[in-house]
Amino acid sequence: MDGPHGGVGPVGPWPDAETIKAHTEEIYGPRSALDLNYTLLGPGRSAVPHNMPDAITGCADHEHLINGFDGAIAYWDHHFGRLLAVLEELGIAEETAVIVSADHGMYAEHGLATEPVQRVPLVFYWPGLTDDLPDEARRNDALLYNIDLAPTLCDLLGLSVPPGWQGESFAAAVRGEPLGSRPYLVLGHSAHTYQRAVRTRDHLYIRTYHPGSFRAEWEQLFDVTYDPHLTRDLLDDEPDLAARMRSHLAEWWNEHAGRPGCLPDPMLTTLQTGPVYYSDPAEYAAHLRRTGRDRLADDLEGRLASLHTPISWHAPEPRPTARFIDGWIRAFQRTAEERTH
């Protein structure tokens, strides 16, 4: 959508000016506050400056970003309305299911296995099922995976779920019936960082295997219910809870990767290379130094150096990443050239 889209509603109170200041001083990584347009090719400028600023340096920049985001939603909503109108014109609106979901957040990036990235909305309209549900049955807070959607569709369509699918149907919730919830979910990220997280009803535990180019702590624990913005790490204050969350992660791994017949864990098989396809951590550390953030560069380099512990049965050196980086840069450059011709 051309131009900002302010006026649709006030920007939320968080992050406030103090939080944004802390982000600019202590947080780093591609798409973070001061590197909002950093990519594999290095620092860049916003391609849509009317919708997205070059950096978040204060509340005005954050409001600029949110207004641009609202504009994108309004643009989508306009065309979604046109689609629904066509269904009405064709006379098939009452026999067409409509399912809407979304992607991620965090300054317009998705680099971590954390709540703003992993929690996405899901809106279901299924003629004959959802039309007359009472208000209390129109929302459901069960812990679900994205992979639950496919078996749910099979269930609602009266189809058999193919063998080997790991998802579980939540068709009961679509029908307005009670739905049990998993005791926890295990979430993962293996592109910008290597992380896994355990989400229970009230808590989120995050473990980092490789920080990539981010300031990603090795372990964190949050009370999502009372601290939805994840501002207070409980790891040191709640040792019993932390141990329980670690046990959930170990239980999940043993189930899916630690038994005969399981394929190797793809995260662990590529851990020696690390998450290098979207940014080169060493180059990003150099970028931090070039932009006067030597203290943050030291922090990132220290995290990266701590990854390689010399043990006799370990690989003597991490696998080289330069050829992977070069290949992706060439692919990006070819794409950019194609767009200009």
Side-chain angles (χ1 to χ4, degrees):
M1 171 170 286
D2 274 340
H5 200 76
V8 299
V11 175
W14 193 92
D16 56 17
E18 182 179 354
T19 301
I20 293 174
K21 183 174 184 294
H23 285 186
T24 64
E25 294 175 351
E26 302 296 334
I27 304 300
Y28 57 79
R31 305 291 195 179
S32 58
L34 295 185
D35 289 318
L36 202 54
N37 295 284
Y38 190 97
T39 69
L40 182 63
L41 299 178
R45 304 295 298 273
S46 173
V48 284
H50 50 283
N51 276 345
M52 184 172 179
D54 285 323
I56 306 293
T57 59
C59 291
D61 292 327
H62 181 251
E63 183 173 2
H64 181 180
L65 178 71
I66 296 303
N67 287 340
F69 186 67
D70 287 344
I73 294 174
Y75 178 80
W76 175 89
D77 188 63
H78 167 74
H79 287 284
F80 184 62
R82 293 180 62 191
L83 172 63
L84 296 182
V86 170
L87 296 179
E88 291 282 357
E89 292 170 6
L90 295 175
I92 59 174
E94 296 307 314
E95 55 190 69
T96 303
V98 178
I99 303 169
V100 177
S101 191
D103 197 353
H104 56 78
M106 289 186 68
Y107 289 138
E109 190 47 278
H110 50 104
L112 303 163
T114 190
E115 185 77 359
V117 173
Q118 301 284 342
R119 183 174 183 175
V120 296
L122 180 65
V123 181
F124 241 87
Y125 168 70
W126 198 282
L129 289 182
T130 61
D131 312 69
D132 301 318
L133 290 179
D135 289 344
E136 63 271 17
R138 291 188 174 276
R139 297 177 65 87
N140 191 285
D141 62 356
L143 297 174
L144 303 176
Y145 285 118
N146 284 342
I147 58 174
D148 293 334
L149 178 57
T152 300
L153 296 178
C154 288
D155 191 342
L156 293 170
L157 293 169
L159 304 175
S160 298
V161 177
W165 284 17
Q166 295 179 358
E168 300 176 5
S169 172
F170 56 84
V174 180
R175 299 185 182 105
E177 302 167 356
L179 178 72
S181 178
R182 293 178 174 86
Y184 64 87
L185 302 175
V186 173
L187 314 171
H189 191 87
S190 303
H192 301 259
T193 59
Y194 280 7
Q195 287 188 325
R196 287 211 169 108
V198 177
R199 176 68 153 92
T200 62
R201 176 68 62 188
D202 295 313
H203 295 96
L204 178 73
Y205 165 81
I206 307 170
R207 178 176 178 184
T208 299
Y209 298 82
H210 194 305
S213 299
F214 285 81
R215 184 163 198 158
E217 305 303 333
W218 300 114
E219 287 185 291
Q220 290 181 295
L221 178 64
F222 300 99
D223 187 323
V224 184
T225 301
Y226 291 100
D227 180 23
H229 300 304
L230 313 183
T231 61
R232 183 187 173 205
D233 188 347
L234 302 176
L235 193 71
D236 294 333
D237 297 334
E238 299 282 355
D240 292 341
L241 175 60
R244 187 160 64 250
M245 299 296 266
R246 293 186 192 107
S247 71
H248 288 326
L249 182 57
E251 178 184 54
W252 176 89
W253 191 90
N254 288 333
E255 173 70 20
H256 293 283
R259 300 189 302 168
C262 294
L263 293 175
D265 183 341
M267 177 184 290
L268 297 185
T269 57
T270 60
L271 187 57
Q272 292 298 319
T273 299
V276 300
Y277 296 129
Y278 289 93
S279 70
D280 179 351
E283 172 54 33
Y284 183 74
H287 163 73
L288 289 174
R289 295 195 186 282
R290 288 193 296 268
T291 53
R293 291 175 281 176
D294 295 85
R295 179 173 57 85
L296 301 185
D298 290 342
D299 182 86
L300 175 57
E301 290 169 348
R303 293 171 193 264
L304 296 172
S306 70
L307 290 171
H308 309 304
T309 303
I311 299 176
S312 60
W313 47 269
H314 281 183
E317 295 290 341
R319 289 185 291 171
T321 62
R323 55 194 172 94
F324 297 111
I325 296 289
D326 291 344
W328 273 78
I329 289 177
R330 287 194 295 271
F332 268 73
Q333 290 172 335
R334 284 196 300 271
T335 302
E337 291 171 357
E338 290 169 358
R339 289 176 177 170
T340 59
H341 293 298

